[in-house]
Amino acid sequence: MSRPIETITVVGRDAALWLSALGLQRAYGKVGVKVHAIELPSLLQPNDVLSTLPTTYGLHGLLGIAENNVFRFAKASYVLGQRFAGWSGSRPPFMHPYDSTGTNFGHVDFVHFWQKAQRAGMNVPFENFSIGAVAAAQGRIADLRESATPFSKAAQGFNLDAFSYGQLLKAYALKSGIAHSQGILEKVDVAEGAVMSVTLADGTRHEGDLFVDATGPQASLISQLDEAGPDSWDHLYPCNRMMVMAGAPVSPAPSYSHIQAFRGGWVGMFPLQDRTAIVAVYSDDELSDEDMTQSVPVLSSVPVSGDAVVSSLNTGLRRNAWVGNCVALGEAAVMLEPLDAVSLHPLHTGLSLLVDHFPAAADAMPQARLFNRKFAGHMENIRDFQLAHYRLNQRYDEPLWDRAREMETPERLAYKLSTFKATGQVPLHDDEAFEKENWTSIMIGHNHLLDQYHPLVDGVPDAELMQRFQAMLKFIAEEVSEMTSLSAHMELYAPQKPRSSF
Amino acid sequence: MQKKIRKIVIVGGGTAGWMVAAALAKTLGTHHHDIVLIESEMIGTVGVGEATIPQIALYNSVVGLDEAEMMRETNATFKLGIEFRDWRKLDHSYFHPFGFYGVDMGGISFSHYWLRWKKAGGNLDYTKFNVETEAARDEKFLRTNDDNNIYMPSVNYAYQFDASLYAKYLRMISEKRGVRRIEGKIVDSAQNAESGFIESVKLENGQSVTGDFFIDCSGFRGLLIEQVYKAGYHDWSSMLPVNKAVAVPCAKNGPPLPYTRSTAREAGWQWRIPLQHRTGNGYVFSGEFISEDEATARLMNSLDGEPLADPKVLKFTTGVRKKSWIKNVVSVGLSNGFLEPLESTSIHLIQVAIAKILAMFPGDQIQTGLVDQYNEEMHWEYDHVKDFLIAHYHVTERDDTPFWNYVRTMEIPDELKRRLETFRNRGETLCHKSELFKEVSWFAVLYGQGLEPTGYHPVANSISEDDLKLRLAKIRSGIQDRLNGMPSHQEFIDRYCAANSLMSA
């Protein structure tokens, strides 16, 4: 006779803990499942930043968190895209917007028409045909008028101060009625391939029908069960160090993150309300931590303050994120680079999968296999998106970047890249975090162009094509002018300092 | 029998005289009308660094002035409004901008929506919804007259210039258009025995200048309007008690600010008007509350640059002639009345008089109906500016000197009382359509002086809270976009109208 899940014990820290606990409480608390959050000491450093995609809206919706509160209390800023600079030699930076670009003419994708015009000498970058990209470049937030919605689905993610965001989530979680303990994890009792209980340093022992491991990279619970351990992806990424710093805020507030490639890796600038969070990802083959510290102010061109926090950077996927009665969520399950704003995406994915595949019984959880396969597929797709930046770089004669192009390329990624080049199509799989327009944007942005455009393109007379392009650009300019600026939004929704003069 | 009006005699030069001359020469022309201006080099003009309000652009365009040339010739800077320091209380400052707060919606002014939002806990100052205030803060300027962008607010401005150079510039233009200037000091006048009309004025050298229509720009003394016709004077000094001013230019201490500053002092207020090459300063005070010597010493001690001349003292009585037009004499400028330059209205009142004279300009005969109308309208203009000025003094928290205790507690006109009460209750200013200072100005000054409305117009509740926030954010976006595209005031002057340094030396 099987017994339903009565208690979920979530062990973890920071955002992962509170998101998991709150998400499960919201989903299953109403049918009587008790959620118990066991809070371990934070591993956050003072300047840590989370950079998220527009899907965060869905996550917050699931959790019942008001966007304005996130904006207000997490020192947050809105981001409509990522700007990549210096990834392709001397070519100008490009914006990867969270939006489509251009409109199809008939059944043929816009990119084909653009490429024809570009070959014929038109000097308008691809991104200029995207409301999201133009809006990001002009510091707007994604409040489209109705007239723009058939053309654009511009959306925004958040940059979040990791500590403040964690505090906000904690407040929401505690208010939701979960049980809460805190302490230092002393022991994880495992028997028959399942977690029996966890013991804290104060001697208290906590049981549960289902355990969630939200302990971050330490993977304190799942590592007791997952004998295989995570698959390392370190051989796919060229960098192995990470540094976090704080820079002065930029005014007017940009609504994009800036990802600057340099000889030894890249430096990301993530605007927040009170600062520009800076994250450098680099290889110790190319430069020491000390050299990196000195390079950051030059590369970021904002005044930098405070200490640099350095860590080693490892990537990899735990193929058995769910073993027995223990599900790893967040960094306990997968480690990615802090590129492409996927800070919360793995956690969101895992949490959604767990909610969808919630175990019916406490003593047997066959869903684990399905969960693991889906989760792994999803993470591989994100990984491939990150790797595409490296593989497509055009920084020649720099060892790190030459290596980044030549490193092993997962088969599915290789297929995406070659298919796009040959046909302009993006072969998508199930569980893709990034869609066709995202892939198209970064491939064109990195100058990975089509070998030939679609034959139907020539059916549109050149004069008509130019006319349509111009109409599109004019439309975009008007729509973007009507969008709210991030600075204005910040003033209205974030705490203001009192003014000093008139 | 009246003579046909062919010869117009302007009595006195200065800003008023030459503004009249240039406007008449342009609009009436010098073919059908003989326009003569009599002035004496011996009589100084009261021209100091002077600030204007945006309406001057209308005068300039009627006269056909080229803005950049005019600014070069008068060492002019742009003016976005006035900063009022220490008026509400010490260490407080507010800005009275040209232009608008936000965008009016649903037939009521933006300020009501802002008041609603503030009551609901909104934390962004209303001043952030005015582009001129923001630009003034950042010392930026841009001329947006030819810019048709509907997403960004346009920038409203006036000038700060050397009024004596402005008069000189207008003189040059007037003379080119055929205005005759006669040098000389007027010592007497002759009236028609029957009609009482002035027929001629007599100069010190014995010369007699005849005329059909006389415009009295002779300054405070009112050579014809008062000395001949005894027009009488409404004395407003019980409500506007300042009666002296001491003025001095000083060296500039940095790039000129795109605004005028008025700092409340112990017995009046002090102006600071930045020009391209120097800064004009003056302390307007009440002789009843501070001596001339002390006021002068206080002014000299507060300069932010080396004084460039000896301080000059002026005396005046605030008020207006009971009649501005009598028979064939119209008084314009100081001869017609005096209102302290707290809101830079001196030149404007000249301009209003000119516009009205032109509108009612007599053909063959002077119609008494038009004369009465003119007198009523001019009085109305002065009277409403007067109320606005009184509000600056009366609505205050200052109680640190006898002067401020007097103005804070003095009796004020009933119409003004009603306005203050209505503003306190629901943020409305009861402005007349034709009033010079509109709702925005009254809001800026009353709120700035510390009168915070407890309510607002009920129509402001008609939109949803989300919609309100969205609109506020849009308005701010437009303002920020505008600001981001503005160069510094100095940069703009350098490329648009930098004065010739040889002339300004």
Side-chain angles (χ1 to χ4, degrees):
Chain A
M1 188 54 201
S2 67
R3 185 174 62 78
I5 303 277
E6 285 169 6
T7 57
I8 307 172
T9 304
V10 186
V11 184
R13 48 173 58 92
D14 306 320
L17 167 69
W18 302 114
L19 285 169
S20 305
L22 181 57
L24 291 167
Q25 168 71 13
R26 294 266 301 179
Y28 291 96
K30 54 184 173 251
V31 294
V33 178
K34 302 247 178 310
V35 177
H36 181 191
I38 297 179
E39 182 186 6
L40 307 180
S42 172
L43 289 178
L44 288 179
Q45 299 292 337
N47 289 321
D48 281 349
V49 62
L50 299 170
S51 169
T52 77
L53 293 168
T55 48
T56 321
Y57 278 82
L59 178 63
H60 290 153
L62 195 73
L63 302 178
I65 299 177
E67 288 305 324
N68 286 338
N69 282 344
V70 177
F71 189 84
R72 179 156 192 181
F73 295 110
K75 299 176 182 169
S77 192
Y78 285 126
V79 173
L80 279 71
Q82 316 257 318
R83 187 164 77 161
F84 289 83
W87 289 69
S88 304
S90 59
R91 293 173 52 76
F94 76 89
M95 189 78 75
H96 163 217
Y98 307 142
D99 194 8
S100 53
T101 302
T103 41
N104 296 356
F105 300 173
H107 294 293
V108 183
D109 279 345
F110 174 77
V111 66
H112 293 274
F113 293 92
W114 177 81
Q115 181 145 343
K116 178 184 179 183
Q118 196 241 12
R119 282 212 187 130
M122 182 188 71
N123 200 16
V124 183
F126 187 63
E127 69 193 54
N128 286 22
F129 295 91
S130 160
I131 284 188
V134 174
Q138 293 186 16
R140 305 285 156 171
I141 64 170
D143 60 342
L144 296 175
R145 283 198 293 196
E146 222 165 276
S147 54
T149 48
F151 180 83
S152 165
K153 46 181 172 175
Q156 56 206 357
F158 279 115
N159 285 338
L160 303 159
D161 174 63
F163 178 77
S164 312
Y165 182 60
Q167 294 299 109
L168 176 72
L169 294 173
K170 180 175 176 177
Y172 269 96
L174 294 183
K175 220 170 54 189
S176 73
I178 60 166
H180 174 219
S181 309
Q182 63 192 115
I184 295 165
L185 185 63
E186 181 82 14
K187 196 161 144 250
V188 180
D189 293 308
V190 174
E192 295 168 23
V195 176
M196 296 289 106
S197 65
V198 293
T199 309
L200 299 183
D202 62 7
T204 53
R205 203 169 135 267
H206 304 276
E207 298 180 331
D209 297 327
L210 178 68
F211 280 87
V212 172
D213 183 344
T215 60
Q218 292 187 347
S220 306
L221 276 61
I222 194 72
S223 60
Q224 306 286 314
L225 299 173
D226 176 23
E227 285 161 14
D231 282 0
S232 171
W233 287 339
D234 288 342
H235 62 293
L236 301 174
Y237 288 90
C239 297
N240 60 6
R241 303 288 291 167
M242 183 164 99
M243 176 179 291
V244 176
M245 292 176 96
V250 175
S251 176
S255 55
Y256 58 83
S257 300
H258 180 95
I259 311 296
Q260 179 77 46
F262 74 106
R263 176 179 64 81
W266 57 267
V267 174
M269 278 151 276
F270 302 93
L272 293 170
Q273 278 171 33
D274 66 333
R275 66 179 190 273
T276 302
I278 299 173
V279 177
V281 168
Y282 55 103
S283 164
D284 57 12
D285 287 346
E286 303 303 323
L287 74 173
S288 67
D289 294 340
E290 180 145 334
D291 290 344
M292 188 70 242
T293 314
Q294 284 166 3
S295 303
V296 163
V298 181
L299 291 165
S300 66
S301 63
V302 293
V304 170
S305 62
D307 293 336
V309 177
V310 179
S311 56
S312 65
L313 176 67
N314 296 101
T315 53
L317 170 74
R318 192 176 291 280
R319 295 208 169 268
N320 300 314
W322 187 342
V323 180
N325 67 341
C326 179
V327 185
L329 294 180
E331 287 189 296
V334 68
M335 302 279 287
L336 290 159
E337 270 203 5
L339 193 58
D340 292 318
V342 292
S343 300
L344 291 181
H345 203 75
L347 191 126
H348 184 193
T349 306
L351 180 61
S352 303
L353 285 172
L354 177 56
V355 168
D356 287 350
H357 302 282
F358 196 72
D363 47 7
M365 302 186 186
Q367 300 87 342
R369 214 170 130 181
L370 185 58
F371 175 98
N372 287 336
R373 198 182 71 220
K374 285 191 174 176
F375 183 73
H378 218 117
M379 293 306 114
E380 281 168 350
N381 287 326
I382 296 177
R383 174 204 65 193
D384 286 357
F385 196 76
Q386 294 190 335
L387 293 180
H389 299 295
Y390 287 109
R391 299 298 178 271
L392 297 177
N393 90 79
Q394 295 184 343
R395 293 182 71 102
Y396 296 102
D397 301 320
E398 289 177 324
L400 179 133
W401 293 102
D402 288 342
R403 199 167 76 240
R405 269 192 313 280
E406 302 306 327
M407 290 171 104
E408 178 189 327
T409 301
E411 192 275 330
R412 291 208 305 199
L413 173 58
Y415 179 61
K416 273 199 178 89
L417 298 179
S418 62
T419 307
F420 182 78
K421 196 164 188 299
T423 69
Q425 303 287 311
V426 183
L428 291 180
H429 302 274
D430 294 342
D431 316 324
E432 293 271 7
F434 293 99
E435 297 182 53
K436 184 170 83 175
E437 63 255 23
N438 304 107
W439 283 97
T440 304
S441 162
I442 66 159
M443 287 193 278
I444 295 290
H446 286 302
N447 205 28
H448 186 65
L449 303 179
L450 281 61
D451 288 333
Q452 67 230 354
Y453 55 81
H454 197 284
L456 284 177
V457 167
D458 286 328
V460 180
D462 286 356
E464 190 189 329
L465 189 61
M466 288 320 291
Q467 213 173 13
R468 289 208 204 177
F469 278 4
Q470 268 155 14
M472 229 183 273
L473 292 172
K474 184 164 172 273
F475 172 75
I476 290 170
E478 274 170 14
E479 290 300 329
V480 171
S481 298
E482 269 291 288
M483 293 165 80
T484 305
S485 79
L486 174 59
S487 304
H489 186 86
M490 238 178 228
E491 289 174 339
L492 285 159
Y493 287 85
Q496 285 291 302
K497 291 188 204 103
R499 69 198 164 98
S500 51
S501 74
F502 60 78
Chain B
M1 200 40 210
Q2 282 181 31
K3 256 174 75 186
K4 281 194 175 179
I5 289 170
R6 286 289 172 262
K7 187 172 176 188
I8 303 160
V9 178
I10 301 163
V11 176
T15 317
W18 287 113
M19 279 183 76
V20 171
L24 294 188
K26 171 78 182 186
T27 49
L28 294 177
T30 48
H31 297 295
H32 298 292
H33 292 89
D34 187 10
I35 305 173
V36 172
L37 186 145
I38 304 168
E39 70 174 338
S40 165
E41 303 277 7
M42 307 300 291
I43 302 174
T45 54
V46 180
V48 281
E50 190 143 344
T52 57
I53 56 177
Q55 285 80 354
I56 192 173
L58 182 65
Y59 172 85
N60 286 347
S61 80
V62 166
V63 174
L65 301 188
D66 176 82
E67 181 183 71
E69 182 183 87
M70 181 280 289
M71 293 187 72
R72 277 196 300 274
E73 293 295 329
T74 61
N75 270 307
T77 56
F78 292 97
K79 176 187 170 192
L80 296 165
I82 305 174
E83 180 194 7
F84 287 92
R85 274 197 182 173
D86 299 341
W87 276 83
R88 174 178 176 174
K89 55 189 175 193
L90 291 168
D91 297 320
H92 177 267
S93 161
Y94 72 91
F95 196 72
H96 170 198
F98 300 137
F100 304 93
Y101 291 112
V103 176
D104 294 351
M105 301 174 257
I108 58 168
S109 79
F110 172 83
S111 53
H112 296 287
Y113 294 92
W114 181 81
L115 288 167
R116 168 187 162 191
W117 181 65
K118 173 144 196 287
K119 259 182 216 326
N123 58 1
L124 193 61
D125 211 271
Y126 64 91
T127 65
K128 291 270 189 184
F129 296 93
N130 172 266
V131 71
E132 290 85 6
T133 309
E134 289 274 90
R137 245 180 224 141
D138 292 350
E139 298 176 28
K140 285 178 160 188
F141 184 78
L142 182 67
R143 211 174 161 273
T144 58
N145 308 26
D146 311 317
D147 181 338
N148 295 320
N149 191 316
I150 57 164
Y151 303 108
M152 293 191 263
S154 52
V155 176
N156 296 279
Y157 64 90
Y159 316 105
Q160 309 172 119
F161 55 44
D162 182 327
S164 56
L165 291 178
Y166 185 61
K168 206 167 135 190
Y169 179 62
L170 290 173
R171 171 180 166 184
M172 189 225 1
I173 284 171
S174 304
E175 289 185 316
K176 263 196 213 160
R177 292 205 178 120
V179 173
R180 280 193 301 129
R181 176 184 180 276
I182 297 173
E183 166 68 36
K185 199 175 158 191
I186 295 168
V187 290
D188 201 1
S189 61
Q191 284 168 265
N192 181 295
E194 197 182 318
S195 65
F197 277 36
I198 303 282
E199 287 185 329
S200 65
V201 289
K202 198 173 148 200
L203 307 187
E204 208 169 26
N205 64 5
Q207 187 190 346
S208 170
V209 180
T210 59
D212 306 320
F213 195 63
F214 289 81
I215 299 179
D216 185 349
C217 299
S218 61
F220 291 127
R221 60 207 168 117
L223 203 62
L224 301 178
I225 197 79
E226 187 59 39
Q227 292 187 10
V228 175
Y229 286 134
K230 312 275 183 260
Y233 201 71
H234 291 289
D235 183 338
W236 288 331
S237 51
S238 71
M239 290 171 287
L240 290 169
V242 296
N243 54 12
K244 289 180 181 180
V246 51
V248 68
C250 74
K252 64 177 188 177
N253 68 343
L257 297 175
Y259 57 89
T260 296
R261 179 179 295 145
S262 161
T263 307
R265 310 279 296 180
E266 49 287 310
W269 59 277
Q270 183 172 331
W271 78 72
R272 183 185 184 282
I273 300 177
L275 306 182
Q276 285 189 39
H277 61 313
R278 60 170 172 77
T279 306
N281 306 277
Y283 183 4
V284 184
F285 59 96
S286 166
E288 319 296 317
F289 291 90
I290 192 171
S291 72
E292 212 170 285
D293 288 348
E294 197 186 341
T296 305
R298 296 229 179 216
L299 173 70
M300 300 308 278
N301 282 336
S302 69
L303 298 182
D304 54 19
E306 196 193 329
L308 299 176
D310 288 333
K312 206 163 71 179
V313 178
L314 312 165
K315 296 181 174 63
F316 50 81
T317 306
T318 296
V320 68
R321 296 266 175 246
K322 287 183 175 159
K323 282 184 175 162
S324 304
W325 185 337
I326 299 175
K327 299 187 189 287
N328 64 341
V329 172
V330 185
S331 55
V332 175
L334 299 176
S335 63
N336 188 53
F338 182 86
L339 288 169
E340 58 191 285
L342 183 55
E343 286 285 355
S344 316
T345 48
S346 310
I347 284 181
H348 179 74
L349 289 166
I350 296 171
Q351 178 185 338
V352 168
I354 293 170
K356 288 189 195 301
I357 290 169
L358 286 170
M360 303 181 194
F361 199 79
D364 292 347
Q365 294 228 331
I366 293 174
Q367 308 284 333
T368 50
L370 281 180
V371 171
D372 291 347
Q373 177 73 13
Y374 180 93
N375 283 326
E376 271 172 37
E377 286 186 15
M378 273 320 285
H379 185 267
W380 195 91
E381 294 281 343
Y382 275 75
D383 196 43
H384 282 84
V385 172
K386 171 206 76 180
D387 278 7
F388 188 50
L389 299 184
I390 294 171
H392 291 67
Y393 287 104
H394 186 66
V395 182
T396 182
E397 294 163 24
R398 281 193 69 155
D399 57 3
D400 53 312
T401 68
F403 174 83
W404 287 100
N405 283 334
Y406 173 76
V407 293
R408 202 186 64 251
T409 56
M410 68 191 172
E411 207 36 53
I412 59 168
D414 288 342
E415 187 180 340
L416 178 58
K417 258 188 220 164
R418 199 162 64 231
R419 269 192 202 216
L420 299 183
E421 203 44 43
T422 313
F423 186 77
R424 195 193 319 274
N425 290 331
R426 49 187 252 157
E428 272 181 291
T429 60
L430 305 180
C431 279
H432 297 272
K433 238 192 175 126
S434 52
E435 208 169 330
L436 174 60
F437 291 102
K438 306 277 190 271
E439 189 155 5
V440 172
S441 294
W442 281 91
F443 183 89
V445 169
L446 294 185
Y447 202 100
Q449 291 289 143
L451 190 63
E452 296 184 11
T454 53
Y456 51 83
H457 196 290
V459 166
N461 284 327
S462 63
I463 58 174
S464 75
E465 189 170 345
D466 283 349
D467 205 20
L468 175 60
K469 265 193 171 176
L470 185 69
R471 291 192 198 192
L472 292 174
K474 297 263 188 232
I475 291 167
R476 264 305 281 166
S477 301
I479 288 174
Q480 285 170 342
D481 288 348
R482 178 58 85 199
L483 281 174
N484 291 336
M486 289 174 85
S488 78
H489 181 220
Q490 181 72 64
E491 276 173 76
F492 189 83
I493 287 176
D494 288 346
R495 85 172 180 239
Y496 183 69
C497 58
N500 183 336
S501 58
L502 288 174
M503 234 189 81
S504 60

mmCIF file of all heavy atoms in Angstrom, chain B residues 238-255:
data_model
loop_
_atom_site.group_PDB
_atom_site.id
_atom_site.type_symbol
_atom_site.label_atom_id
_atom_site.label_comp_id
_atom_site.label_asym_id
_atom_site.label_seq_id
_atom_site.Cartn_x
_atom_site.Cartn_y
_atom_site.Cartn_z
ATOM 1 N N SER B 238 2.197 99.229 0.519
ATOM 2 C CA SER B 238 1.866 98.578 1.791
ATOM 3 C C SER B 238 1.903 97.054 1.647
ATOM 4 O O SER B 238 2.142 96.334 2.608
ATOM 5 C CB SER B 238 0.494 99.032 2.286
ATOM 6 O OG SER B 238 -0.514 98.490 1.465
ATOM 7 N N MET B 239 1.696 96.562 0.409
ATOM 8 C CA MET B 239 1.730 95.101 0.202
ATOM 9 C C MET B 239 3.024 94.643 -0.459
ATOM 10 O O MET B 239 3.355 93.459 -0.430
ATOM 11 C CB MET B 239 0.538 94.681 -0.660
ATOM 12 C CG MET B 239 -0.781 94.802 0.071
ATOM 13 S SD MET B 239 -2.173 94.541 -1.038
ATOM 14 C CE MET B 239 -2.185 96.042 -1.995
ATOM 15 N N LEU B 240 3.698 95.589 -1.080
ATOM 16 C CA LEU B 240 4.994 95.278 -1.701
ATOM 17 C C LEU B 240 5.966 96.347 -1.208
ATOM 18 O O LEU B 240 6.232 97.328 -1.885
ATOM 19 C CB LEU B 240 4.873 95.300 -3.233
ATOM 20 C CG LEU B 240 4.069 94.148 -3.836
ATOM 21 C CD1 LEU B 240 3.771 94.396 -5.311
ATOM 22 C CD2 LEU B 240 4.800 92.813 -3.671
ATOM 23 N N PRO B 241 6.469 96.164 0.019
ATOM 24 C CA PRO B 241 7.134 97.273 0.693
ATOM 25 C C PRO B 241 8.563 97.583 0.249
ATOM 26 O O PRO B 241 9.140 98.528 0.750
ATOM 27 C CB PRO B 241 7.101 96.859 2.166
ATOM 28 C CG PRO B 241 7.015 95.381 2.148
ATOM 29 C CD PRO B 241 6.315 94.994 0.884
ATOM 30 N N VAL B 242 9.142 96.815 -0.665
ATOM 31 C CA VAL B 242 10.499 97.202 -1.076
ATOM 32 C C VAL B 242 10.398 98.491 -1.881
ATOM 33 O O VAL B 242 9.454 98.710 -2.625
ATOM 34 C CB VAL B 242 11.207 96.104 -1.899
ATOM 35 C CG1 VAL B 242 11.422 94.867 -1.052
ATOM 36 C CG2 VAL B 242 10.447 95.759 -3.163
ATOM 37 N N ASN B 243 11.373 99.387 -1.664
ATOM 38 C CA ASN B 243 11.315 100.683 -2.346
ATOM 39 C C ASN B 243 12.670 101.205 -2.806
ATOM 40 O O ASN B 243 12.799 102.333 -3.244
ATOM 41 C CB ASN B 243 10.607 101.712 -1.458
ATOM 42 C CG ASN B 243 11.258 101.789 -0.074
ATOM 43 O OD1 ASN B 243 12.352 101.249 0.131
ATOM 44 N ND2 ASN B 243 10.594 102.453 0.848
ATOM 45 N N LYS B 244 13.681 100.359 -2.694
ATOM 46 C CA LYS B 244 15.001 100.762 -3.171
ATOM 47 C C LYS B 244 15.706 99.549 -3.734
ATOM 48 O O LYS B 244 15.395 98.408 -3.367
ATOM 49 C CB LYS B 244 15.862 101.313 -2.021
ATOM 50 C CG LYS B 244 15.422 102.662 -1.518
ATOM 51 C CD LYS B 244 16.332 103.111 -0.408
ATOM 52 C CE LYS B 244 15.861 104.468 0.116
ATOM 53 N NZ LYS B 244 16.731 104.946 1.196
ATOM 54 N N ALA B 245 16.667 99.822 -4.580
ATOM 55 C CA ALA B 245 17.501 98.724 -5.053
ATOM 56 C C ALA B 245 18.920 99.229 -5.202
ATOM 57 O O ALA B 245 19.122 100.405 -5.550
ATOM 58 C CB ALA B 245 16.995 98.201 -6.383
ATOM 59 N N VAL B 246 19.870 98.363 -4.877
ATOM 60 C CA VAL B 246 21.266 98.704 -5.135
ATOM 61 C C VAL B 246 21.795 97.625 -6.074
ATOM 62 O O VAL B 246 21.592 96.436 -5.835
ATOM 63 C CB VAL B 246 22.073 98.853 -3.823
ATOM 64 C CG1 VAL B 246 21.897 97.659 -2.908
ATOM 65 C CG2 VAL B 246 23.552 99.074 -4.132
ATOM 66 N N ALA B 247 22.404 98.083 -7.181
ATOM 67 C CA ALA B 247 22.806 97.143 -8.228
ATOM 68 C C ALA B 247 24.286 97.249 -8.506
ATOM 69 O O ALA B 247 24.865 98.339 -8.435
ATOM 70 C CB ALA B 247 22.017 97.416 -9.506
ATOM 71 N N VAL B 248 24.899 96.135 -8.815
ATOM 72 C CA VAL B 248 26.329 96.130 -9.162
ATOM 73 C C VAL B 248 26.642 94.894 -10.017
ATOM 74 O O VAL B 248 26.149 93.804 -9.736
ATOM 75 C CB VAL B 248 27.199 96.150 -7.870
ATOM 76 C CG1 VAL B 248 27.082 94.855 -7.080
ATOM 77 C CG2 VAL B 248 28.660 96.421 -8.201
ATOM 78 N N PRO B 249 27.409 95.086 -11.071
ATOM 79 C CA PRO B 249 27.865 93.908 -11.827
ATOM 80 C C PRO B 249 29.114 93.322 -11.189
ATOM 81 O O PRO B 249 29.876 94.046 -10.538
ATOM 82 C CB PRO B 249 28.185 94.480 -13.207
ATOM 83 C CG PRO B 249 28.532 95.905 -12.979
ATOM 84 C CD PRO B 249 27.846 96.344 -11.702
ATOM 85 N N CYS B 250 29.315 92.021 -11.353
ATOM 86 C CA CYS B 250 30.566 91.443 -10.873
ATOM 87 C C CYS B 250 31.112 90.463 -11.903
ATOM 88 O O CYS B 250 30.413 90.073 -12.844
ATOM 89 C CB CYS B 250 30.380 90.781 -9.501
ATOM 90 S SG CYS B 250 29.510 89.216 -9.545
ATOM 91 N N ALA B 251 32.381 90.103 -11.710
ATOM 92 C CA ALA B 251 33.018 89.160 -12.626
ATOM 93 C C ALA B 251 32.334 87.815 -12.501
ATOM 94 O O ALA B 251 31.851 87.452 -11.432
ATOM 95 C CB ALA B 251 34.505 89.033 -12.294
ATOM 96 N N LYS B 252 32.285 87.082 -13.609
ATOM 97 C CA LYS B 252 31.616 85.781 -13.526
ATOM 98 C C LYS B 252 32.537 84.765 -12.864
ATOM 99 O O LYS B 252 33.756 84.889 -12.919
ATOM 100 C CB LYS B 252 31.154 85.320 -14.900
ATOM 101 C CG LYS B 252 32.242 85.052 -15.909
ATOM 102 C CD LYS B 252 31.589 84.541 -17.177
ATOM 103 C CE LYS B 252 32.636 84.061 -18.165
ATOM 104 N NZ LYS B 252 32.017 83.491 -19.356
ATOM 105 N N ASN B 253 31.933 83.809 -12.226
ATOM 106 C CA ASN B 253 32.742 82.847 -11.460
ATOM 107 C C ASN B 253 32.708 81.463 -12.097
ATOM 108 O O ASN B 253 33.022 80.470 -11.460
ATOM 109 C CB ASN B 253 32.241 82.768 -10.012
ATOM 110 C CG ASN B 253 30.868 82.128 -9.928
ATOM 111 O OD1 ASN B 253 30.161 82.037 -10.925
ATOM 112 N ND2 ASN B 253 30.505 81.674 -8.746
ATOM 113 N N GLY B 254 32.284 81.381 -13.340
ATOM 114 C CA GLY B 254 32.199 80.087 -14.021
ATOM 115 C C GLY B 254 31.280 80.242 -15.202
ATOM 116 O O GLY B 254 30.841 81.353 -15.507
ATOM 117 N N PRO B 255 30.955 79.141 -15.857
ATOM 118 C CA PRO B 255 30.022 79.239 -16.981
ATOM 119 C C PRO B 255 28.702 79.827 -16.504
ATOM 120 O O PRO B 255 28.282 79.561 -15.378
ATOM 121 C CB PRO B 255 29.828 77.781 -17.416
ATOM 122 C CG PRO B 255 30.939 77.013 -16.795
ATOM 123 C CD PRO B 255 31.352 77.758 -15.564
#
